[in-house]
Amino acid sequence: METIINYFTNIPSSHRSLILVGGITFFWLLESAIPLFNFEYKKWRHAGPNLFFTATTIIINFVLAFLLLKTSDWVSVTKFGFINWLPQMPIWLYVVLGVVLLDFFGAYLAHLVEHKVMLLWMVHLVHHTDHEVDTTTGNRHHPIESVIRFVFTLIGVFLVGTPIYIIMIYQSMSVVFTQLTHANIKMPRKLDKLMSYVFVSPDMHKVHHHNLLPYTDSNFGNIFSIWDRVFGTYMELDRDKIVYGVDTFPDAEKNSNLKELLKQPFQGYRKPTNLQ
């Protein structure tokens, strides 16, 4: 465990880049081998806007990273935060609790709020208007949303009291799970279901990308499925019935145009339609 802690405390930027690029490459190839849906699209053309938003997310997180580091240093020195107020425990349990709680603040709560607050939904809309969800969709976030999610993660670090190595473990896992759960891969149904009892599985997350309510407002988790189960936002839908996108923004051409996507948060408020 000490080796893992030392590695993630000092993880080189090149290794973090390798996790991101290597993950996208791996799932990109896997999508060709075992696709869930046979999209009739030009894969590279579709990936263009999504990779642009991936790049802006990286830049924003890099620029603001000093805030995470300063906050992490402060909570470590002052012993502030939930996991620092608990009785002494094995280091592995300390790490697990830290990652699980950061997943709540940085992913589940941020995601839930984005769906419930009108202005934030319009920003998050960019992520949902992809009509061919694949591994490149994972980081299709408008730059404004990247800032919003960073703020939630920062709040999580402060309240949970996580040292830098737990933050790095969490972010590394978050990247991989984001790529996995958006990947256009056909996992065996039983395996996917088994996985979903603890972790967010590909089929579980794709329900969230269905174009109609109430499914759009479900399955907000990123790494762990427990938060959706605890707070009653877990839903199931047969993957063969999933239709990607948002029914109130049906223009696939506009939804694949980078200029239009950058303007999308500033359009009129429209939530998906409820199922009749």
Side-chain angles (χ1 to χ4, degrees):
M1 196 68 200
E2 194 67 32
T3 302
I4 295 174
I5 290 173
N6 289 335
Y7 173 74
F8 280 100
T9 299
N10 304 288
I11 184 170
S13 296
S14 59
H15 289 198
R16 298 181 67 188
S17 300
L18 182 61
I19 292 171
L20 175 66
V21 176
I24 290 177
T25 303
F26 173 76
F27 290 115
W28 178 287
L29 295 172
L30 199 60
E31 289 174 336
S32 300
I34 50 170
L36 176 60
F37 298 113
N38 293 308
F39 295 134
E40 295 181 3
Y41 71 152
K42 293 182 179 178
K43 201 170 175 71
W44 274 107
R45 182 179 177 184
H46 167 262
N50 295 351
L51 294 178
F52 170 84
F53 288 121
T54 299
T56 58
T57 298
I58 293 170
I59 292 169
I60 288 168
N61 279 277
F62 178 78
V63 170
L64 298 177
F66 75 96
L67 293 174
L68 276 183
L69 183 59
K70 291 291 185 182
T71 304
S72 176
D73 286 346
W74 186 83
V75 297
S76 295
V77 170
T78 61
K79 300 300 179 184
F80 183 87
F82 179 74
I83 60 174
N84 295 316
W85 299 333
L86 294 174
Q88 189 171 2
M89 65 187 79
I91 188 65
W92 67 265
L93 183 56
Y94 179 77
V95 172
V96 169
L97 280 175
V99 172
V100 169
L101 290 171
L102 276 187
D103 185 53
F104 171 75
F105 286 102
Y108 179 85
L109 184 61
H111 202 172
L112 177 68
V113 171
E114 286 175 335
H115 276 250
K116 301 304 180 183
V117 177
M118 179 184 71
L119 292 177
L120 298 187
W121 163 250
M122 291 307 299
V123 174
H124 181 54
L125 181 67
V126 170
H127 183 70
H128 276 269
T129 51
D130 196 335
H131 296 260
E132 294 95 10
V133 173
D134 64 18
T135 194
T136 67
T137 308
N139 286 304
R140 175 178 157 132
H141 297 300
H142 193 279
I144 298 173
E145 179 176 7
S146 296
V147 174
I148 293 168
R149 291 199 168 221
F150 180 89
V151 170
F152 272 89
T153 301
L154 189 64
I155 292 170
V157 170
F158 177 72
L159 295 178
V160 179
T162 46
I164 193 63
Y165 67 87
I166 291 183
I167 297 173
M168 293 297 104
I169 292 173
Y170 162 70
Q171 290 188 334
S172 299
M173 291 180 65
S174 180
V175 166
V176 173
F177 269 86
T178 296
Q179 295 166 347
L180 166 65
T181 57
H182 289 87
N184 182 39
I185 57 174
K186 196 171 191 175
M187 183 180 287
R189 291 179 189 268
K190 289 184 178 179
L191 178 59
D192 191 282
K193 180 66 175 177
L194 184 64
M195 177 182 176
S196 72
Y197 286 119
V198 178
F199 299 104
V200 177
S201 67
D203 284 2
M204 175 186 164
H205 186 71
K206 288 180 177 66
V207 172
H208 177 78
H209 279 272
H210 188 57
N211 69 340
L212 296 173
L213 291 171
Y215 297 106
T216 311
D217 281 353
S218 70
N219 300 0
F220 297 107
N222 182 33
I223 300 175
F224 300 100
S225 65
I226 56 173
W227 301 119
D228 283 294
R229 295 182 182 277
V230 168
F231 293 106
T233 53
Y234 176 82
M235 291 191 73
E236 294 184 3
L237 177 67
D238 189 286
R239 63 192 183 190
D240 295 329
K241 296 180 180 179
I242 293 173
V243 178
Y244 293 136
V246 178
D247 71 322
T248 51
F249 287 84
D251 193 327
E253 190 66 31
K254 281 188 174 182
N255 293 336
S256 61
N257 181 284
L258 180 58
K259 184 178 179 181
E260 294 295 330
L261 289 171
L262 287 169
K263 296 189 299 183
Q264 207 163 59
F266 310 104
Q267 301 179 51
Y269 174 67
R270 282 173 276 168
K271 280 288 276 186
T273 304
N274 280 294
L275 289 171
Q276 300 298 319

